[in-house]
C-alpha cells in the first residue's frame, strides 16, 4: 500500500477530489476520499480496462451514468430485524431497484463484444422489476399511499369519502334548522378526527352534544352535535381500518424487501464501483487523457505528459524515459526550471495509472506498476516534533533508504540540501550509491557538482538537465537526458536586478574548479543550441521541398487521371454509337435479304426496297465541312521565349501558356488548364502559322447525361469510413460541376460533424460550408458550396 506521505506530496488526493465531482452517489464520493493506488499488476490492468470500457459506454454508445439513489444501509438493517419500513424508506429501496435495473440492462442490452469487465459486473447486479413497480405504484410519496394500493383500501377510502359528505350535509342541515343562532360561525371543522361546530359559550346548554375543545379566549366551544355522533363514530372506525390496511401494505412490502436485502447489499458494491469507473472516464474525457500501457518491469516512458493540476494554458508537456538503460535520473539546472514538476509528474502518473485513472499524455506512454513509491519533496519542517527542515528531510530519507527495494520508485527533491554544502554533497552521494545498490528506480534533483560528476561515471544513473536559453538564462521547461545542468544562480540573480558589482564579487568567490566546470557546461550548451538550430533549419527546408514535390506530384496524378477519364469516356461513347449504327444496318440488310430470297417480287416489295434504300441514305455518317485549324509547331528558341507565349508540351500532348522562364535551370512554369507544370525547355514547341483546312468528320449523336447525386448519408459509419465516403462523393460532385451538395451525418455527440467540418476546411475546392437551417435538417446536415 502506498503511504500517505506520498499521496499528499504528489497531490494525488486533489485528483481524487476532482474525480469525485463526477460521481453520482454519495457512497462513491466517500469511497474516493479513501481510494488508493494498487500495487498488483493484474489489478491495475483490470482497473484501466474498466475505465476504457466506461469511456466506450459513455462516449461511443451514449449510455447514461448511474441513476441517483439515497444512502440506504440503515434501512436494510431495520428490514432484516423485522421492523416495518416507512413510505419514504420503501421509496429509497425502489429507487435503488430502479437504478440497479437501468445500470444492468443498459450495458447488457448493448451486447457489445468489447465491453467485457463491466458486462461481467452488470450480469451480477440483481434487480426485481415487479417489486420496484409495486412500491412505486402503491406509494405516491413519503406520506401518501395510493387509493388503489389494494382493493380493500380502495373500498375503505370510498366509504370514508361518502361518510365525510353525509356528515357535512347533516351538519349544514342542522344549522339551517335554527342552530346557527347558537354558533360563532357557520363553519364546520374537525377536532380529534371528528366533525364539530363552533358554539358560543353562552349558548352551550342549547346545543346537545360532546365538547371536544374550546378557544383560547373561552368564548367558543367546539361541540360534536348529537345528530352526527353515530356518523362520526362510523367515520372513526373506517379511519382506523384505513390505518390498519396501510400498515399491512407497508409490512407486506417490507417483507418482500427483506427477502432481497442480501442481493441489494451486493448491488451497492457493484453500483458504487461502476459509478466510480464512470467518474474516472468522465474525468479523463474532460482533461483529454489517454489510457497508458502498463508493465511490471519498472519501465516508464512518458510522452508529452502534462501535469493535470497546472493550468492547461500554462502547462508545458514533458517527455521522460526511465528504467530501460538506467535506473535513476539525476536532474540538475536552474531553479524554477521544472525539475520538481518533472519529478512529481513521474510520481503522480505512476499513482494514477495504478488506480485505473487515465493520464494527460500522448499515445505510446507507458507506466510501470511499483510495489512502493517513496517521495521526499518540499519544506516539511516539523515544529511539533522539534525538527528542522534538514532533520525532517533526513528522517524521511532514512526511512526511504531502509525500505526501498528493486521494485520501488524513489523521488527525492534536492537531496542533501539544507546543511553544509560539502557535508550535504557527501551525504547525497552516499545515499545515491545505496539506492543504486538496492537496484531501485527513481529521480533525484540536485545542484551539487560532485553528484553530477558521479553520475557521469556510473552505469545505473544518468545526468539530465532542464533546458534554458543560454543568452537570457530563461527556463524552457524541457528535460534533456545525458548532460548535467547549470544552476545559473548568479546569472539569474543578475537578470532579476542584482547589481553588476555584487555579481562580479560573487563570481570571484567561486573556486577555480567550479568556474571551469560551469564554463565547460555553458559552452557545451551553446554549441548544442547552435547545432539544434541548424538542424531545425535544415529539417524545415527539407520539409518545404518535400511538400512542394508532393503538391506537384499530386497535381500531375490528378491531371493524368482526368485525361485518362476523358479518353476512356470518349472511347466508350464512340463504341456505343458505332454499335448502334451497326445494329441498324444489320436490320436493314436482313430486310433486303428477305426480299431477295423471294422468287417473284410484288409491287409491295418494290415499295419496301425503296424505303430501305432511303433509310440507308439517312443512316450514313453526316459529313459536315467545317474549318479546322491545324497548328504548325516549331522548336523553342530559349532567347525568344517569354511570359505569355503559347507553347505545346510534347510529353503531355497538350497546349499551355508560359508563366515563368528560368534560363539558368533550363526550365519553364507553364499553365495547362487548371494545373501549373514545371517543364524542361526541350519538351516545348512554339505554336505558329495557323492554316485552315476542310472536312472534319463529326458524328451526330445524342448524349444521355448520367444521374447526378447531390446528397450523401454517412450516419452509422465511424469517422474514418465516413471521411472516405465524403471524399469520393465530393470528387464526383466537382467532376459534375455541382455547386451545392448535402452531407447527412446526424447530431449525436458531434464527433462525426466535427471531423467532416475539419476535412472540408482543408479542401481548396470548397468555397463554404454550414449546418442546415430550420427545415434543412439543422445540425444533422452540412450544406457545402463548391467553387
Amino acid at each position: 500500500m502506498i503511504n500517505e506521505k506520498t499521496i499528499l506530496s504528489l497531490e494525488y488526493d486533489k485528483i481524487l477530489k476532482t474525480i469525485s465531482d463526477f460521481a453520482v452517489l454519495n457512497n462513491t464520493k466517500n469511497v474516493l476520499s479513501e481510494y488508493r493506488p494498487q500495487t498488483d499488476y493484474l489489478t491495475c490492468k483490470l482497473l484501466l480496462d474498466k475505465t476504457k470500457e466506461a469511456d466506450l459506454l459513455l462516449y461511443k454508445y451514449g449510455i447514461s451514468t448511474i441513476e441517483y439513489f439515497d444512502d440506504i444501509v440503515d434501512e436494510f438493517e431495520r428490514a432484516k430485524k423485522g421492523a416495518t419500513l416507512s413510505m419514504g424508506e420503501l421509496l429509497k429501496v425502489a429507487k435503488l431497484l430502479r437504478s440497479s435495473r437501468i445500470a444492468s440492462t443498459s450495458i447488457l442490452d448493448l451486447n457489445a463484444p468489447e465491453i467485457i469487465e463491466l458486462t461481467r459486473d452488470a450480469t451480477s447486479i440483481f434487480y426485481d422489476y415487479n417489486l420496484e413497480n409495486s412500491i412505486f405504484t402503491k406509494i405516491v410519496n413519503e406520506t401518501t399511499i395510493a387509493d388503489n394500493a389494494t382493493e380493500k383500501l380502495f373500498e375503505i377510502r370510498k366509504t370514508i369519502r361518502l361518510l365525510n359528505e353525509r356528515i357535512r350535509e347533516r351538519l349544514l342541515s342542522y344549522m339551517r334548522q335554527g342552530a346557527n343562532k347558537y354558533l360563532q360561525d357557520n363553519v364546520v371543522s374537525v377536532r380529534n378526527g371528528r366533525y364539530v361546530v363552533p358554539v358560543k359559550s353562552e349558548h352551550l346548554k342549547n346545543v346537545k352534544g360532546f365538547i371536544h375543545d374550546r378557544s383560547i379566549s373561552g368564548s367558543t366551544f367546539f361541540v360534536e352535535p348529537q345528530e352526527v355522533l353515530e356518523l362520526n363514530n362510523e367515520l372513526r372506525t373506517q379511519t382506523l381500518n384505513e390505518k390498519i390496511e396501510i400498515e399491512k401494505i407497508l409490512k407486506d412490502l417490507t417483507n418482500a424487501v427483506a427477502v432481497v436485502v442480501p442481493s441489494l447489499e451486493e448491488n451497492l458494491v457493484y453500483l458504487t464501483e461502476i459509478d466510480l469507473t464512470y467518474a474516472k472516464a468522465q474525468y479523463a474525457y474532460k482533461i483529454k487523457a489517454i489510457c497508458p500501457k502498463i508493465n511490471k518491469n519498472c519501465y516508464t516512458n512518458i510522452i508529452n505528459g502534462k501535469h493535470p493540476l497546472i493550468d492547461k494554458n500554462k502547462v508545458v508537456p514533458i517527455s521522460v524515459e526511465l528504467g530501460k538503460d538506467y535506473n535513476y535520473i539525476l536532474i540538475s539546472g536552474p531553479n524554477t526550471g521544472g525539475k520538481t514538476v518533472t519529478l512529481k509528474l513521474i510520481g503522480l502518473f505512476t499513482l494514477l495509472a495504478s488506480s485505473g485513472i487515465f493520464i494527460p499524455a500522448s499515445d505510446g506512454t507507458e507506466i510501470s506498476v511499483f510495489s512502493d513509491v517513496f517521495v521526499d519533496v518540499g519544506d516539511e519542517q516539523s515544529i511539533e516534533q522539534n525538527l528542522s527542515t534538514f532533520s525532517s528531510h533526513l528522517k524521511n530519507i532514512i526511512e526511504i533508504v531502509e525500505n526501498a527495494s528493486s521494485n520501488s520508485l524513489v523521488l527525492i527533491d534536492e537531496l542533501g540540501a539544507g546543511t553544509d554544502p560539502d557535508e550535504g554533497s557527501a551525504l547525497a552521494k552516499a545515499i545515491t550509491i545505496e539506492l543504486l545498490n538496492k537496484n531501485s528506480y527513481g529521480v533525484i534533483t540536485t545542484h551539487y557538482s560532485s553528484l553530477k560528476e558521479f553520475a557521469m561515471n556510473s552505469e545505473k544513473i544518468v545526468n539530465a538537465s532542464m533546458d534554458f536559453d543560454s543568452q537570457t538564462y530563461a527556463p524552457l521547461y524541457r528535460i534533456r537526458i545525458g548532460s548535467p545542468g547549470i544552476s545559473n544562480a548568479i546569472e539569474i540573480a543578475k537578470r532579476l536586478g542584482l547589481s553588476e558589482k555584487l555579481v562580479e564579487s560573487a563570481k570571484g568567490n567561486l573556486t577555480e574548479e567550479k568556474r571551469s566546470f560551469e564554463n565547460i557546461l555553458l559552452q557545451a550548451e551553446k554549441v548544442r543550441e547552435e547545432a539544434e538550430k541548424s538542424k531545425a533549419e535544415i529539417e524545415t527546408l527539407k520539409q518545404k521541398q518535400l511538400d512542394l514535390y508532393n503538391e506537384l506530384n499530386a497535381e500531375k496524378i490528378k491531371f493524368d487521371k482526368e485525361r485518362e477519364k476523358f479518353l476512356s469516356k470518349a472511347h466508350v461513347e464512340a463504341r456505343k454509337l458505332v454499335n448502334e449504327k451497326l445494329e441498324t444496318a444489320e436490320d436493314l440488310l436482313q430486310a433486303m435479304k428477305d426480299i431477295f430470297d423471294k422468287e417473284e417480287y410484288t409491287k409491295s416489295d418494290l415499295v419496301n426496297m425503296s424505303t430501305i434504300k432511303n433509310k440507308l441514305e439517312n443512316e450514313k455518317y453526316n459529313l459536315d465541312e467545317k474549318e479546322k485549324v491545324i497548328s504548325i509547331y516549331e522548336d523553342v528558341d530559349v532567347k525568344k521565349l517569354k511570359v505569355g507565349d503559347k507553347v505545346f508540351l510534347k510529353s503531355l500532348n497538350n497546349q499551355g501558356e508560359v508563366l515563368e522562364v528560368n534560363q539558368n535551370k533550363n526550365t519553364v512554369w507553364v499553365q495547362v488548364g487548371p494545373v501549373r507544370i514545371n517543364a524542361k525547355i526541350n519538351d516545348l514547341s512554339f505554336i505558329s502559322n495557323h492554316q485552315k483546312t476542310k472536312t472534319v468528320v463529326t458524328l451526330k449523336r445524342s448524349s444521355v447525361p448520367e444521374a447526378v447525386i447531390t446528397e450523401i448519408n454517412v450516419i452509422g459509419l465511424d469517422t474514418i469510413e465516413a471521411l472516405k465516403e465524403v471524399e469520393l462523393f465530393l470528387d464526383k460532385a466537382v467532376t459534375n460541376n455541382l455547386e451545392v451538395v448535402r452531407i447527412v451525418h446526424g447530431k449525436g455527440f458531434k464527433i462525426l460533424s466535427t471531423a467532416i467540418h475539419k476535412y472540408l476546411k482543408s479542401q481548396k475546392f470548397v468555397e463554404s460550408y454550414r449546418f442546415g437551417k430550420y427545415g434543412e435538417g439543422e445540425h444533422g446536415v452540412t450544406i457545402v458550396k463548391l467553387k
Side-chain angles (χ1 to χ4, degrees):
M1 181 64 70
I2 307 299
N3 63 60
E4 287 303 305
K5 185 185 292 293
T6 296
I7 296 296
L8 297 175
S9 296
L10 296 178
E11 300 177 286
Y12 172 84
D13 56 315
K14 293 182 180 179
I15 303 295
L16 295 183
K17 178 64 176 65
T18 303
I19 294 175
S20 71
D21 292 338
F22 294 101
V24 174
L25 306 177
N26 292 329
N27 191 49
T28 306
K29 297 179 185 295
N30 295 333
V31 168
L32 274 167
S33 66
E34 301 296 328
Y35 199 63
R36 292 297 177 262
Q38 301 299 308
T39 56
D40 175 68
Y41 169 78
L42 293 178
T43 303
C44 296
K45 187 176 184 305
L46 175 64
L47 293 175
L48 284 172
D49 287 343
K50 283 189 174 185
T51 305
K52 193 186 301 182
E53 291 178 6
D55 179 76
L56 290 173
L57 289 172
L58 293 174
Y59 301 109
K60 178 180 178 181
Y61 295 106
I63 74 165
S64 60
T65 56
I66 297 294
E67 185 168 326
Y68 177 80
F69 57 87
D70 297 298
D71 295 337
I72 201 170
V73 176
D74 293 341
E75 287 76 3
F76 286 161
E77 292 300 319
R78 294 185 64 244
K80 286 191 290 188
K81 292 178 180 178
T84 300
L85 299 182
S86 66
M87 300 176 203
E89 290 170 333
L90 286 167
L91 284 175
K92 285 185 180 181
V93 176
K95 289 177 182 178
L96 169 59
L97 284 167
R98 180 171 60 191
S99 182
S100 301
R101 174 175 54 82
I102 293 173
S104 178
T105 56
S106 63
I107 297 175
L108 296 180
D109 290 351
L110 286 176
N111 196 26
E114 67 266 51
I115 309 300
I116 300 172
E117 300 301 336
L118 291 181
T119 296
R120 188 178 290 114
D121 288 348
T123 305
S124 302
I125 294 175
F126 166 83
Y127 62 90
D128 185 339
Y129 179 72
N130 291 330
L131 178 56
E132 171 197 338
N133 186 61
S134 179
I135 295 174
F136 279 129
T137 301
K138 293 179 179 180
I139 302 177
V140 177
N141 54 46
E142 294 184 357
T143 58
T144 308
I145 292 287
D147 290 350
N148 58 353
T150 61
E151 291 184 6
K152 184 174 182 180
L153 182 63
F154 181 83
E155 292 299 326
I156 291 173
R157 286 185 172 173
K158 180 180 178 182
T159 302
I160 290 174
R161 284 193 295 272
L162 292 173
L163 285 171
N164 282 321
E165 292 175 5
R166 287 177 60 191
I167 293 172
R168 286 181 175 278
E169 289 176 359
R170 181 73 62 84
L171 288 175
L172 289 174
S173 174
Y174 170 73
M175 289 186 288
R176 284 195 296 268
Q177 291 174 2
N180 56 352
K181 61 185 177 181
Y182 305 127
L183 305 181
Q184 195 76 8
D185 295 296
N186 291 328
V187 295
V188 176
S189 57
V190 177
R191 289 291 187 278
N192 301 321
R194 303 178 74 87
Y195 282 93
V196 296
V197 292
V199 179
K200 296 176 182 179
S201 57
E202 60 269 24
H203 297 297
L204 186 60
K205 61 182 179 181
N206 299 110
V207 178
K208 293 182 179 180
F210 183 79
I211 299 173
H212 284 275
D213 199 1
R214 75 171 185 175
S215 65
I216 296 175
S217 63
S219 61
T220 304
F221 286 83
F222 296 94
V223 179
E224 177 185 358
Q226 196 171 22
E227 284 79 356
V228 296
L229 186 62
E230 290 300 323
L231 288 176
N232 264 336
N233 287 340
E234 188 175 353
L235 177 61
R236 181 64 175 166
T237 300
Q238 291 301 327
T239 301
L240 291 173
N241 290 339
E242 178 190 29
K243 183 178 181 181
I244 292 170
E245 183 62 18
I246 289 174
E247 286 293 330
K248 182 178 182 302
I249 293 170
L250 296 179
K251 185 63 176 176
D252 291 343
L253 290 175
T254 301
N255 290 338
V257 168
V259 173
V260 298
V261 160
S263 298
L264 293 180
E265 287 176 328
E266 291 183 7
N267 277 12
L268 291 178
V269 177
Y270 286 116
L271 293 176
T272 299
E273 175 66 22
I274 293 175
D275 184 34
L276 190 153
T277 306
Y278 282 159
K280 292 179 187 177
Q282 289 174 284
Y283 171 74
Y285 184 82
K286 178 185 177 183
I287 66 171
K288 297 180 174 59
I290 58 101
C291 178
K293 181 181 178 181
I294 61 170
N295 65 77
K296 49 186 176 181
N297 304 319
C298 302
Y299 173 67
T300 296
N301 183 24
I302 297 172
I303 304 173
N304 296 323
K306 297 180 180 180
H307 199 293
L309 295 177
I310 299 177
D311 188 331
K312 64 180 181 180
N313 297 317
K314 297 179 180 178
V315 66
V316 178
I318 296 173
S319 296
V320 61
E321 188 176 14
L322 174 69
K324 184 178 182 181
D325 299 323
Y326 40 81
N327 288 34
Y328 272 83
I329 300 175
L330 181 70
I331 306 179
S332 52
N335 291 324
T336 71
K339 300 191 302 296
T340 304
V341 171
T342 302
L343 177 145
K344 294 178 75 171
L345 180 78
I346 294 173
L348 180 60
F349 276 15
T350 300
L351 299 188
L352 294 180
S354 300
S355 305
I357 301 171
F358 289 4
I359 59 177
S362 296
D363 289 328
T365 293
E366 189 166 352
I367 303 294
S368 176
V369 176
F370 290 96
S371 59
D372 298 291
V373 178
F374 298 108
V375 178
D376 182 77
V377 61
D379 185 0
E380 299 179 3
Q381 183 172 3
S382 175
I383 297 175
E384 182 180 344
Q385 298 181 23
N386 194 28
L387 294 174
S388 67
T389 301
F390 175 74
S391 299
S392 178
H393 279 302
L394 193 58
K395 188 173 183 296
N396 190 31
I397 289 171
I398 291 171
E399 183 179 342
I400 292 174
V401 172
E402 289 177 349
N403 293 285
S405 68
S406 60
N407 196 30
S408 297
L409 178 66
V410 177
L411 307 168
I412 302 178
D413 192 29
E414 301 293 352
L415 178 59
T419 187
D420 176 77
D422 292 335
E423 292 188 2
S425 175
L427 271 173
K429 184 176 178 180
I431 291 167
T432 301
I433 292 172
E434 180 64 18
L435 290 172
L436 291 174
N437 290 337
K438 290 203 169 191
N439 206 30
S440 59
Y441 296 79
V443 177
I444 297 172
T445 70
T446 187
H447 288 287
Y448 291 137
S449 296
S450 61
L451 205 53
K452 301 176 194 177
E453 293 172 7
F454 167 74
M456 286 181 178
N457 302 308
S458 300
E459 293 182 357
K460 293 183 180 180
I461 186 169
V462 65
N463 272 302
S465 58
M466 302 307 299
D467 279 354
F468 65 95
D469 190 310
S470 60
Q471 302 300 323
T472 64
Y473 295 92
L476 299 177
Y477 303 102
R478 293 195 305 261
I479 186 170
R480 181 169 302 281
I481 302 295
S483 60
I486 306 171
S487 297
N488 290 326
I490 296 176
E491 293 297 338
I492 292 173
K494 178 181 176 181
R495 183 164 57 87
L496 294 175
L498 188 67
S499 70
E500 189 69 30
K501 179 181 177 181
L502 291 177
V503 168
E504 292 303 319
S505 176
K507 287 181 178 180
N509 292 330
L510 293 174
T511 65
E512 184 62 32
E513 183 182 353
K514 174 70 174 177
R515 282 199 299 268
S516 177
F517 184 73
E518 295 291 327
N519 285 335
I520 290 172
L521 292 180
L522 183 60
Q523 291 303 317
E525 181 66 19
K526 289 181 178 179
V527 170
R528 183 191 60 77
E529 282 187 8
E530 291 173 0
E532 288 200 349
K533 185 178 180 181
S534 298
K535 181 182 177 182
E537 290 174 352
I538 292 172
E539 290 296 330
T540 301
L541 185 59
K542 284 174 61 178
Q543 188 60 46
K544 286 182 179 179
Q545 294 295 327
L546 181 61
D547 291 344
L548 180 59
Y549 171 80
N550 290 336
E551 182 180 351
L552 292 174
N553 192 48
E555 292 290 346
K556 184 179 182 301
I557 292 172
K558 183 177 179 182
F559 177 80
D560 290 342
K561 286 183 179 179
E562 291 295 328
R563 183 170 176 269
E564 290 175 9
K565 184 177 179 181
F566 175 78
L567 292 174
S568 176
K569 188 175 181 181
H571 291 158
V572 170
E573 291 177 348
R575 283 197 300 270
K576 181 179 178 183
L577 181 60
V578 170
N579 289 336
E580 289 176 352
K581 296 297 181 181
L582 285 174
E583 288 178 4
T584 303
E586 287 176 359
D587 291 341
L588 293 174
L589 288 172
Q590 183 60 44
M592 293 177 67
K593 184 177 182 298
D594 292 341
I595 295 174
F596 290 151
D597 288 343
K598 293 182 178 181
E599 295 181 358
E600 296 182 0
Y601 301 134
T602 63
K603 186 176 181 180
S604 174
D605 290 333
L606 294 175
V607 172
N608 289 338
M609 288 288 286
S610 177
T611 302
I612 292 171
K613 180 182 178 183
N614 291 334
K615 287 184 177 180
L616 283 172
E617 291 292 333
N618 291 335
E619 289 299 326
K620 287 181 181 179
Y621 291 126
N622 183 16
L623 304 179
D624 291 340
E625 287 191 350
K626 291 188 177 180
E627 292 184 346
K628 177 181 179 182
V629 178
I630 299 179
S631 300
I632 305 301
Y633 301 110
E634 298 176 352
D635 291 337
V636 169
D637 185 347
V638 67
K639 295 180 180 180
K640 296 180 180 180
L641 190 63
K642 62 183 183 298
V643 175
D645 283 346
K646 302 294 184 181
V647 292
F648 179 81
L649 282 82
K650 302 171 188 175
S651 60
L652 297 180
N653 193 27
N654 211 334
Q655 298 178 5
E657 180 181 338
V658 175
L659 298 176
E660 182 182 339
V661 179
N662 191 333
Q663 294 185 4
N664 294 332
K665 293 186 178 181
N666 205 30
T667 58
V668 179
W669 282 100
V670 183
Q671 183 76 35
V672 181
V675 182
R676 293 175 76 249
I677 303 294
N678 190 12
K680 297 286 186 180
I681 289 180
N682 58 16
D683 188 37
L684 307 178
S685 297
F686 276 132
I687 302 174
S688 61
N689 297 334
H690 299 288
Q691 295 182 353
K692 294 182 179 178
T693 185
K694 297 283 185 178
T695 65
V696 176
V697 178
T698 59
L699 300 179
K700 288 186 174 180
R701 64 182 181 84
S702 61
S703 61
V704 181
E706 297 179 0
V708 179
I709 301 174
T710 62
E711 180 180 295
I712 185 173
N713 189 324
V714 294
I715 294 176
L717 300 180
D718 63 32
T719 304
I720 296 176
E721 293 172 341
L723 288 178
K724 286 182 180 178
E725 293 297 324
V726 169
E727 182 179 6
L728 292 173
F729 168 69
L730 292 178
D731 283 346
K732 292 180 181 179
V734 171
T735 303
N736 289 313
N737 295 321
L738 297 181
E739 293 184 1
V740 179
V741 295
R742 284 163 48 94
I743 301 174
V744 181
H745 44 65
K747 297 179 181 178
F749 285 97
K750 296 186 178 180
I751 296 173
L752 203 52
S753 62
T754 301
I756 290 172
H757 283 194
K758 184 176 180 181
Y759 168 78
L760 293 174
K761 186 177 181 180
S762 67
Q763 301 307 306
K764 296 179 180 179
F765 55 81
V766 175
E767 183 174 331
S768 63
Y769 58 91
R770 61 174 174 81
F771 281 120
K773 298 178 181 178
Y774 182 78
E776 292 180 330
E778 299 181 42
H779 280 63
V781 170
T782 293
I783 309 298
V784 184
K785 186 175 182 182
L786 304 173
K787 293 182 179 178

